Amino acid sequence: MSSALIFSHGIWKTPHLAAFLPEYRLQKAGMITPAQADVVLGWGLRPSTQKARAYAAKHTLPFIALEDGFLRSLGLGATGWPPFAMVYDDLGIYYDTTRASRLEQLVLAADEMPPETLAQARQAMDLITAHRLSKYNHAPDISDGLKHRPSEKPVVLVIDQTFGDMAIRYGGADAATFETMFQTALRENPEAQIWVKTHPDVLSGKKQGYLTRLSAQADVKLLAEDVNPISLLQIVDKVYCVTSQMGFEALLCGKPVVTFGLPWYAGWGVSDDRHAGAAALAAAGRRAPRSIEQLFAAAYLQYSRYIDPNTGKPGTLFDVIDYLAAARRLNEKLRGDLYCVGMSIWKRAVMKPFFKVPSCRLHFVPSLKKLQKTALPPDARLLVWSRGHDDLIDFAHRRALPLLRMEDGFIRSVGLGSNLVPPLSLVIDDMGIYFNAETPSRLEHILQHQAFSTQDIQAAEALQQALTAAAITKYNVGGNVLPRPRTDKKVLLVPGQVEDDASIRHGSPKIRKNLELLQTVRQLNPDAYIIYKPHPDVLSGNRSGHISAADCARHADMVASEYDIIACLAHADEVHTITSLTGFEALLRGKIVHCYGLPFYAGWGLTRDWLPISRRSRKLTLQELIAGTLIYYPGYVHPETRRMIDAATAINILKKQKQETKRSNSLHRSWPSKQIGKLKQLYLSLR
């Protein structure tokens, strides 16, 4: 393996650097002799690379330029958000058109790309624009006031850049270029609305732009707010730019683009290029006609490198697209100030990672009394666990505060929440909460309205296979092998529940007791073989819902107290439940499910329902139910890195935990063990 010498401390601190550069053994400068280095790595054309470039030249070593990729991260690098994409250039760097770059060579060779590569490019382009993804993805969509035009006039967007941007200098432009662009846009579009997009830091005085002064002299609209680039580009009619990457993103959105500098995408016949250097590049053999798909494939598929954000291992563009799409949805859901009242320090530590997105400001308030004295901002919302305490709900109603509700997810942990085992998943609902059938929830909205893609269905099928193969459930406790019942009768599994659980109180208007359920199932199925599975929290003594041994014997043929729910499902022909998650887990395994209450998975045509719910009028496939329930609705967090992951990664983690821990078959956890678990979560939250 070749060795790569790194002088920059910033590069060295890049998370998952080795995954971006798997072909190298990475070495810090000064730790090895010159003879041991095969290449030198540096960051683009920054002045800080001078030492590294000089070293490479002195020792006749190749210099490799690195830069952030075009689909980098959720938040800004300056605020600590790690990159998921990086470019690697052994010839130059893409924004320096004064000399050849590896990207340029890849585009020149793009006429030899196989059809499969171009098909991938088209698919990725469609996904990026559909999910409105850009280099950074923290900014909100453009405001409603701008989405609706005041007139039928076309809108022309002129893109400013910050003073000193290296892409300007090495793209053959200067301040005069921006003035020429601006005046040209005004002259060529006399009947249009002219919008100038500048950086928020320009108007705040932190940075200088080129068009702020000029735009004040004309009847133009200056856009200084930090907005999602794709959402802006999708509503304009034409784009003028110098070297901004937004110009290429405009091409992805199908907009005509006029360039006045020499960005990497100019000169290939996809844009209207006004810089004289474009023709010179063509004459020198450095440009040739290429399609947008070819440009995209070269830049995003071949030139850029990616890690899988879920695992930190080498990944693909599609890994990053999937991750950023989910992260962006969460960022928008949590945008603003969220106030959480009365949460213990341990629970705060467990919660924080699920709210770690750039636009969420999470505040923990010790009491309602303290909250009442707090001056709340206009975008304030109240964050409550489950249904929330009545006094908090009343306060929210009086103050007209929107509510967010949170609850454990459906793929939770190896161990019980009542035993203080932290969750890998959490649902955060801005409409209601999934177990409350009295009002709509975000999950119900997703299941009723989401247009599930082919990719969603494929991902759901993979999750179903992974869950069933690894025998993953919500809590993953128990583990003893259940002997097959010696009977020819139909086997019915009746899962017990916590009787004061909110899912029963708000999702079952008729049957609310485990004994009532067991009696009803026996009455309706007198000849069946019934297995009753008590809820783990009830067995542990942490929650209510116990049925006496005599009553169990009267109505059930077997009581599976210490057995894993999956072991019980394996022998069941049908599952009869009030609102238990076991019903959903049974559907995953192809079982017939009878619902006596109104769980989230009832009413979609997949279960035999004893109660109607008219709001749920859509008929779903099992894969659509899985996609909505496990992909779109919950959030997942890695227990060690404390960063967002997807459902597939969470399943793999639980699978590994089940294999490694012996407490997977235990319903009880000692007091010292609980306290050690608390301390671990506190430590991780402070890292």
Side-chain angles (χ1 to χ4, degrees):
M1 178 182 288
S2 301
S3 64
L5 191 61
I6 300 173
F7 284 78
S8 168
H9 295 294
I11 295 177
W12 191 258
K13 292 189 297 183
T14 303
H16 311 297
L17 182 63
F20 283 117
L21 302 161
E23 68 266 58
Y24 293 119
R25 183 176 65 256
L26 304 179
Q27 305 272 7
K28 282 185 178 181
M31 296 178 63
I32 58 174
T33 61
Q36 292 177 284
D38 298 296
V39 301
V40 178
L41 302 177
W43 199 260
L45 293 173
R46 284 186 179 179
S48 59
T49 65
Q50 290 179 357
K51 185 177 180 181
R53 290 179 180 274
Y55 184 93
K58 180 180 179 180
H59 297 280
T60 61
L61 297 174
F63 180 86
I64 309 296
L66 307 176
E67 268 283 356
D68 285 327
F70 306 113
L71 208 63
R72 183 193 185 278
S73 54
L74 177 60
L76 298 173
T79 57
W81 290 91
F84 304 141
M86 184 180 291
V87 302
Y88 174 101
D89 202 313
D90 58 341
L91 295 177
I93 196 66
Y94 70 91
Y95 53 78
D96 180 9
T97 52
T98 65
R99 55 177 174 161
S101 69
R102 179 56 59 186
L103 176 55
E104 181 179 285
Q105 297 301 307
L106 290 169
V107 178
L108 285 170
D111 56 349
E112 299 178 2
M113 286 181 179
E116 296 80 14
T117 301
L118 295 176
Q120 281 190 327
R122 185 71 259 172
Q123 180 187 4
M125 290 164 60
D126 291 342
L127 289 170
I128 285 172
T129 54
H131 295 301
R132 296 188 293 278
L133 302 180
S134 185
K135 183 175 182 178
Y136 306 109
N137 296 280
H138 62 286
D141 287 343
I142 193 163
S143 63
D144 290 336
L146 293 175
K147 287 179 183 176
H148 306 289
R149 301 178 185 178
S151 72
E152 295 301 317
K153 290 183 177 181
V155 175
V156 172
L157 181 67
V158 183
I159 301 173
D160 198 2
Q161 292 174 250
T162 54
F163 189 85
D165 186 342
M166 286 188 293
I168 298 170
R169 172 186 172 188
Y170 292 102
D174 54 21
T177 310
F178 283 86
E179 183 163 3
T180 300
M181 173 183 64
F182 182 73
Q183 298 299 339
T184 304
L186 293 178
R187 184 179 66 254
E188 293 181 346
N189 303 277
E191 302 300 321
Q193 296 179 13
I194 306 297
W195 293 0
V196 173
K197 177 68 182 78
T198 190
H199 196 281
D201 287 345
V202 173
L203 287 192
S204 68
K206 295 179 181 178
K207 293 183 180 180
Q208 290 183 309
Y210 294 93
L211 299 181
T212 309
R213 177 184 56 82
L214 294 172
S215 61
Q217 302 172 5
D219 185 20
V220 303
K221 187 176 190 63
L222 189 62
L223 306 177
E225 64 266 29
D226 196 9
V227 300
N228 176 274
I230 303 297
S231 75
L232 173 59
L233 292 167
Q234 287 174 333
I235 65 170
V236 304
D237 297 291
K238 191 175 184 179
V239 174
Y240 287 71
C241 68
V242 176
T243 61
S244 172
Q245 178 65 11
M246 276 188 71
F248 186 70
E249 292 175 334
L251 293 172
L252 299 184
C253 296
K255 308 298 179 178
V257 174
V258 185
T259 67
F260 285 78
L262 290 174
W264 69 268
Y265 51 87
W268 304 103
V270 297
S271 53
D272 180 359
D273 305 312
R274 307 293 178 84
H275 196 289
L281 289 173
R286 292 179 56 190
R287 293 292 186 272
R290 293 291 182 265
S291 69
I292 294 174
E293 286 82 4
Q294 289 172 323
L295 289 173
F296 182 92
Y300 285 71
L301 291 175
Q302 297 177 333
Y303 187 57
S304 300
R305 300 182 173 199
Y306 303 94
I307 61 165
D308 183 341
N310 297 287
T311 63
K313 298 178 180 179
T316 69
L317 170 61
F318 293 97
D319 293 329
V320 175
I321 289 173
D322 290 346
Y323 186 92
L324 286 178
R328 190 169 178 273
R329 288 197 299 270
L330 181 63
N331 190 55
E332 292 308 301
K333 181 195 292 187
L334 302 182
R335 181 176 297 279
D337 291 271
L338 306 184
Y339 290 83
C340 186
V341 179
M343 193 67 65
S344 69
I345 295 177
W346 176 76
K347 287 187 177 179
R348 293 181 191 184
V350 170
M351 283 172 49
K352 279 182 181 178
F354 293 95
F355 296 84
K356 192 175 181 180
V357 290
S359 302
C360 177
R361 297 177 294 276
L362 181 60
H363 310 273
F364 292 105
V365 184
S367 66
L368 177 57
K369 185 177 180 181
K370 182 72 172 179
L371 182 65
Q372 291 170 331
K373 297 179 180 179
T374 302
L376 300 177
D379 65 354
R381 290 183 289 176
L382 195 61
L383 178 65
V384 299
W385 185 264
S386 192
R387 288 279 300 167
H389 295 294
D390 290 343
D391 55 351
L392 287 175
I393 305 302
D394 290 342
F395 173 79
H397 290 328
R398 290 196 309 272
R399 297 285 295 270
L401 287 176
L403 281 168
L404 284 178
R405 292 180 170 87
M406 54 185 169
E407 190 49 93
D408 286 332
F410 310 112
I411 306 171
R412 187 192 186 280
S413 55
V414 177
L416 304 177
S418 61
N419 282 335
L420 304 185
V421 178
L424 269 71
S425 66
L426 199 71
V427 301
I428 304 166
D429 200 311
D430 58 342
M431 295 180 66
I433 193 68
Y434 72 90
F435 56 73
N436 183 8
E438 297 167 351
T439 58
S441 68
R442 176 58 62 180
L443 176 56
E444 185 177 290
H445 181 84
I446 291 169
L447 295 175
Q448 183 71 24
H449 299 288
Q450 180 69 38
F452 296 104
S453 66
T454 301
Q455 186 182 10
D456 290 334
I457 301 305
Q458 292 172 345
E461 289 174 345
L463 290 179
Q464 181 186 8
Q465 293 172 7
L467 286 166
T468 54
I472 297 295
T473 62
K474 183 175 182 177
Y475 296 112
N476 302 287
V477 294
N480 297 325
V481 178
L482 178 69
R484 183 171 184 83
R486 296 182 178 181
T487 180
D488 295 328
K489 298 178 179 179
K490 182 187 294 183
V491 179
L492 311 183
L493 174 62
V494 179
Q497 294 182 241
V498 176
E499 290 181 346
D500 60 356
D501 191 75
S503 71
I504 293 179
R505 288 187 282 115
H506 301 283
S508 184
K510 293 186 177 181
I511 297 177
R512 298 196 170 191
K513 300 288 186 181
N514 289 324
L515 181 56
E516 292 175 340
L517 173 65
L518 195 54
Q519 289 171 332
T520 300
V521 175
R522 173 56 74 195
Q523 184 180 358
L524 295 171
N525 303 273
D527 298 324
Y529 187 96
I530 296 177
I531 301 174
Y532 177 66
K533 172 72 173 78
H535 193 280
D537 278 338
V538 175
L539 284 174
S540 68
N542 296 328
R543 305 288 294 276
S544 64
H546 177 68
I547 300 180
S548 69
D551 284 329
C552 285
R554 192 174 296 115
H555 302 292
D557 299 282
M558 176 187 292
V559 179
S561 297
E562 296 289 332
Y563 295 103
D564 188 279
I565 191 67
I566 299 301
C568 300
L569 282 171
H571 303 310
D573 299 302
E574 298 178 2
V575 171
H576 290 245
T577 181
I578 307 175
T579 59
S580 173
L581 185 61
T582 298
F584 176 68
E585 293 167 340
L587 290 174
L588 298 182
R589 293 158 176 85
K591 306 295 182 179
I592 296 171
V593 178
H594 291 252
C595 298
Y596 296 83
L598 295 168
F600 68 87
Y601 51 85
W604 308 108
L606 298 169
T607 54
R608 300 183 183 183
D609 304 321
W610 291 76
L611 297 174
I613 181 164
S614 60
R615 295 194 310 270
R616 302 175 187 177
S617 58
R618 188 181 186 186
K619 300 301 179 185
L620 297 174
T621 66
L622 178 58
Q623 285 70 37
E624 289 172 332
L625 176 67
I626 295 170
T629 304
L630 299 182
I631 297 176
Y632 281 93
Y633 189 50
Y636 303 89
V637 164
H638 195 289
E640 300 298 330
T641 66
R642 314 277 286 181
R643 294 191 180 276
M644 178 183 140
I645 55 175
D646 62 6
T649 306
I651 291 170
N652 288 332
I653 291 170
L654 290 176
K655 180 181 176 181
K656 185 178 180 181
Q657 288 181 349
K658 285 186 68 175
Q659 294 170 343
E660 292 179 349
T661 183
K662 299 298 183 183
R663 64 181 171 91
S664 62
N665 63 355
S666 176
L667 298 174
H668 306 281
R669 192 180 184 193
S670 66
W671 184 89
S673 178
K674 292 180 181 179
Q675 306 315 306
I676 291 171
K678 284 184 178 182
L679 290 173
K680 181 181 179 181
Q681 294 303 311
L682 291 172
Y683 168 74
L684 290 172
S685 70
L686 297 172
R687 283 198 315 187

